[in-house]
Structure formats: C-alpha cells, structure tokens
Short mmCIF file of all heavy atoms in Angstrom, two decimals:
data_model
loop_
_atom_site.label_atom_id
_atom_site.label_comp_id
_atom_site.label_asym_id
_atom_site.label_seq_id
_atom_site.Cartn_x
_atom_site.Cartn_y
_atom_site.Cartn_z
N THR A 29 0.89 -1.17 0.09
CA THR A 29 -0.07 -0.01 0.01
C THR A 29 1.04 1.23 0.03
O THR A 29 1.67 1.47 0.91
CB THR A 29 -0.92 0.05 1.29
OG1 THR A 29 -1.72 -1.15 1.10
CG2 THR A 29 -1.86 1.28 1.22
N GLY A 30 0.86 2.02 -1.11
CA GLY A 30 1.66 3.15 -1.18
C GLY A 30 0.82 4.50 -0.78
O GLY A 30 -0.28 4.39 -0.31
N PRO A 31 1.52 5.55 -1.00
CA PRO A 31 0.69 6.86 -0.69
C PRO A 31 -0.55 6.93 -1.61
O PRO A 31 -0.58 6.49 -2.71
CB PRO A 31 1.73 7.90 -1.18
CG PRO A 31 3.02 7.29 -1.05
CD PRO A 31 2.83 5.86 -1.45
N ARG A 32 -1.53 7.55 -1.01
CA ARG A 32 -2.78 7.69 -1.68
C ARG A 32 -2.89 8.84 -2.82
O ARG A 32 -2.65 9.99 -2.30
CB ARG A 32 -4.02 7.89 -0.85
CG ARG A 32 -4.01 6.88 0.36
CD ARG A 32 -4.37 5.60 -0.08
NE ARG A 32 -4.58 4.62 1.00
CZ ARG A 32 -5.02 3.37 0.92
NH1 ARG A 32 -5.28 2.83 -0.18
NH2 ARG A 32 -5.12 2.63 1.97
N LYS A 33 -2.66 8.51 -3.93
CA LYS A 33 -2.45 9.55 -5.03
C LYS A 33 -3.68 9.82 -5.97
O LYS A 33 -3.57 10.58 -6.83
CB LYS A 33 -1.22 9.12 -5.90
CG LYS A 33 -0.05 9.05 -5.17
CD LYS A 33 0.57 10.32 -4.60
CE LYS A 33 1.84 10.15 -3.79
NZ LYS A 33 2.31 11.39 -3.21
N LEU A 34 -4.67 9.17 -5.73
CA LEU A 34 -5.91 9.34 -6.67
C LEU A 34 -6.49 10.69 -6.70
O LEU A 34 -7.04 11.20 -7.68
CB LEU A 34 -6.98 8.38 -6.41
CG LEU A 34 -6.66 6.79 -6.58
CD1 LEU A 34 -7.78 6.02 -6.29
CD2 LEU A 34 -6.14 6.61 -8.21
N GLY A 35 -6.26 11.45 -5.54
CA GLY A 35 -6.67 12.80 -5.42
C GLY A 35 -6.13 13.66 -6.46
O GLY A 35 -6.65 14.64 -6.92
N THR A 36 -4.91 13.28 -6.84
CA THR A 36 -4.12 14.10 -7.86
C THR A 36 -4.83 14.03 -9.11
O THR A 36 -4.83 15.18 -9.95
CB THR A 36 -2.68 13.53 -7.99
OG1 THR A 36 -2.04 13.58 -6.77
CG2 THR A 36 -1.87 14.38 -9.07
N LEU A 37 -5.44 13.08 -9.42
CA LEU A 37 -6.21 12.79 -10.77
C LEU A 37 -7.34 13.75 -10.82
O LEU A 37 -7.64 14.23 -11.94
CB LEU A 37 -6.58 11.34 -10.94
CG LEU A 37 -5.54 10.30 -10.81
CD1 LEU A 37 -6.23 8.90 -11.14
CD2 LEU A 37 -4.42 10.55 -11.72
N ILE A 38 -8.00 14.12 -9.74
CA ILE A 38 -9.09 14.91 -9.79
C ILE A 38 -8.53 16.42 -9.91
O ILE A 38 -9.03 17.10 -10.79
CB ILE A 38 -9.78 14.95 -8.42
CG1 ILE A 38 -10.30 13.44 -8.04
CG2 ILE A 38 -10.96 15.87 -8.35
CD1 ILE A 38 -10.87 13.22 -6.79
N GLU A 39 -7.54 16.76 -9.11
CA GLU A 39 -7.02 18.09 -9.24
C GLU A 39 -6.41 18.35 -10.69
O GLU A 39 -6.67 19.47 -11.26
CB GLU A 39 -5.80 18.27 -8.09
CG GLU A 39 -5.06 19.63 -8.28
CD GLU A 39 -3.86 19.57 -7.50
OE1 GLU A 39 -3.65 18.66 -6.59
OE2 GLU A 39 -3.11 20.62 -7.49
N LYS A 40 -5.74 17.32 -11.27
CA LYS A 40 -5.07 17.65 -12.55
C LYS A 40 -5.86 17.19 -13.75
O LYS A 40 -5.45 17.26 -14.86
CB LYS A 40 -3.75 16.84 -12.50
CG LYS A 40 -2.80 17.36 -11.54
CD LYS A 40 -2.44 18.87 -11.59
CE LYS A 40 -1.34 19.32 -10.65
NZ LYS A 40 -1.15 20.74 -10.71
N ARG A 41 -7.16 16.74 -13.46
CA ARG A 41 -8.05 16.14 -14.45
C ARG A 41 -7.19 15.09 -15.41
O ARG A 41 -7.31 15.06 -16.57
CB ARG A 41 -8.61 17.22 -15.40
CG ARG A 41 -9.80 17.87 -14.72
CD ARG A 41 -9.43 18.87 -13.59
NE ARG A 41 -9.47 20.24 -14.14
CZ ARG A 41 -8.91 21.37 -13.54
NH1 ARG A 41 -8.27 21.13 -12.33
NH2 ARG A 41 -9.00 22.52 -14.01
N ALA A 42 -6.40 14.35 -14.66
CA ALA A 42 -5.51 13.35 -15.35
C ALA A 42 -6.24 12.13 -15.66
O ALA A 42 -7.24 11.73 -14.98
CB ALA A 42 -4.23 13.08 -14.63
N SER A 43 -5.85 11.35 -16.70
CA SER A 43 -6.36 10.05 -17.10
C SER A 43 -5.35 8.93 -16.85
O SER A 43 -4.24 9.26 -17.29
CB SER A 43 -7.02 9.93 -18.43
OG SER A 43 -6.03 10.30 -19.44
N VAL A 44 -5.79 7.70 -16.37
CA VAL A 44 -4.93 6.62 -16.35
C VAL A 44 -5.57 5.51 -17.10
O VAL A 44 -6.69 5.14 -16.86
CB VAL A 44 -4.73 6.33 -14.80
CG1 VAL A 44 -3.85 5.11 -14.73
CG2 VAL A 44 -4.10 7.49 -13.98
N GLU A 45 -4.71 4.81 -17.86
CA GLU A 45 -5.26 3.56 -18.58
C GLU A 45 -4.19 2.59 -18.73
O GLU A 45 -3.15 2.77 -19.21
CB GLU A 45 -5.70 4.22 -20.06
CG GLU A 45 -6.24 3.05 -20.91
CD GLU A 45 -6.82 3.60 -22.19
OE1 GLU A 45 -6.83 4.68 -22.53
OE2 GLU A 45 -7.30 2.62 -22.97
N GLY A 46 -4.60 1.45 -18.41
CA GLY A 46 -3.81 0.22 -18.52
C GLY A 46 -4.15 -0.26 -19.96
O GLY A 46 -5.28 -0.11 -20.53
N PHE A 47 -3.14 -1.12 -20.52
CA PHE A 47 -3.21 -1.70 -21.82
C PHE A 47 -2.50 -2.95 -21.95
O PHE A 47 -1.48 -3.18 -21.28
CB PHE A 47 -3.00 -0.58 -22.93
CG PHE A 47 -1.54 -0.40 -23.07
CD1 PHE A 47 -0.75 -1.03 -24.17
CD2 PHE A 47 -0.86 0.45 -22.22
CE1 PHE A 47 0.49 -0.87 -24.21
CE2 PHE A 47 0.52 0.73 -22.29
CZ PHE A 47 1.22 0.16 -23.33
N LEU A 48 -2.95 -3.84 -22.96
CA LEU A 48 -2.14 -4.97 -23.39
C LEU A 48 -1.94 -4.80 -24.85
O LEU A 48 -2.71 -4.33 -25.64
CB LEU A 48 -2.94 -6.23 -23.09
CG LEU A 48 -3.22 -6.52 -21.58
CD1 LEU A 48 -4.13 -7.88 -21.63
CD2 LEU A 48 -1.99 -6.77 -20.87
N VAL A 49 -0.75 -5.19 -25.27
CA VAL A 49 -0.43 -5.15 -26.72
C VAL A 49 -1.37 -5.93 -27.56
O VAL A 49 -1.68 -5.64 -28.74
CB VAL A 49 1.10 -5.36 -26.97
CG1 VAL A 49 1.31 -6.93 -26.61
CG2 VAL A 49 1.43 -5.03 -28.34
N SER A 50 -1.91 -7.08 -26.91
CA SER A 50 -2.84 -7.94 -27.69
C SER A 50 -4.08 -7.21 -28.07
O SER A 50 -4.74 -7.70 -29.04
CB SER A 50 -3.12 -9.28 -26.90
OG SER A 50 -3.55 -8.93 -25.59
N ASP A 51 -4.35 -6.13 -27.42
CA ASP A 51 -5.60 -5.50 -27.64
C ASP A 51 -5.50 -4.94 -29.19
O ASP A 51 -6.56 -4.74 -29.90
CB ASP A 51 -5.74 -4.33 -26.77
CG ASP A 51 -6.03 -4.68 -25.45
OD1 ASP A 51 -6.48 -5.94 -25.15
OD2 ASP A 51 -5.87 -3.85 -24.50
N PHE A 52 -4.32 -4.76 -29.70
CA PHE A 52 -4.02 -4.09 -31.00
C PHE A 52 -3.59 -5.23 -32.08
O PHE A 52 -3.16 -4.76 -33.04
CB PHE A 52 -2.95 -2.98 -30.96
CG PHE A 52 -3.47 -1.97 -29.90
CD1 PHE A 52 -2.95 -1.87 -28.59
CD2 PHE A 52 -4.18 -0.82 -30.38
CE1 PHE A 52 -3.34 -1.00 -27.69
CE2 PHE A 52 -4.44 0.22 -29.45
CZ PHE A 52 -4.09 0.12 -28.06
N GLN A 53 -3.93 -6.46 -31.80
CA GLN A 53 -3.51 -7.40 -32.67
C GLN A 53 -3.80 -7.30 -34.15
O GLN A 53 -2.95 -7.49 -35.02
CB GLN A 53 -3.97 -8.82 -32.17
CG GLN A 53 -3.21 -10.06 -32.89
CD GLN A 53 -3.80 -10.37 -34.13
OE1 GLN A 53 -4.97 -10.20 -34.43
NE2 GLN A 53 -3.08 -11.06 -34.93
N PRO A 54 -4.88 -6.78 -34.42
CA PRO A 54 -5.33 -6.45 -35.89
C PRO A 54 -4.32 -5.57 -36.58
O PRO A 54 -4.37 -5.55 -37.79
CB PRO A 54 -6.75 -6.00 -35.89
CG PRO A 54 -7.32 -6.60 -34.52
CD PRO A 54 -6.21 -6.50 -33.61
#
C-alpha cells in the first residue's frame, strides 16, 4: 500500500489507462 495519489487525478484532470499489446493485434 503506497501513498494515496488518486486525489491528484481529480486536481489535474488526469487520465490513467492500462493496456495490453494484444488489444491491438489486428
């Protein structure tokens, strides 16, 4: 459990997205 950083996303209107290369197989 690290520092709670999700509040930064609100303040900065930031977006976080995970991805897998297999999503782009075509």
Side-chain angles (χ1 to χ4, degrees):
T29 300
R32 308 292 185 179
K33 298 296 184 183
L34 292 183
T36 302
L37 305 183
I38 302 170
E39 176 190 353
K40 300 300 183 180
R41 279 79 98 195
S43 60
V44 180
E45 184 174 354
F47 72 99
L48 296 175
V49 67
S50 56
D51 298 339
F52 300 93
Q53 196 277 333

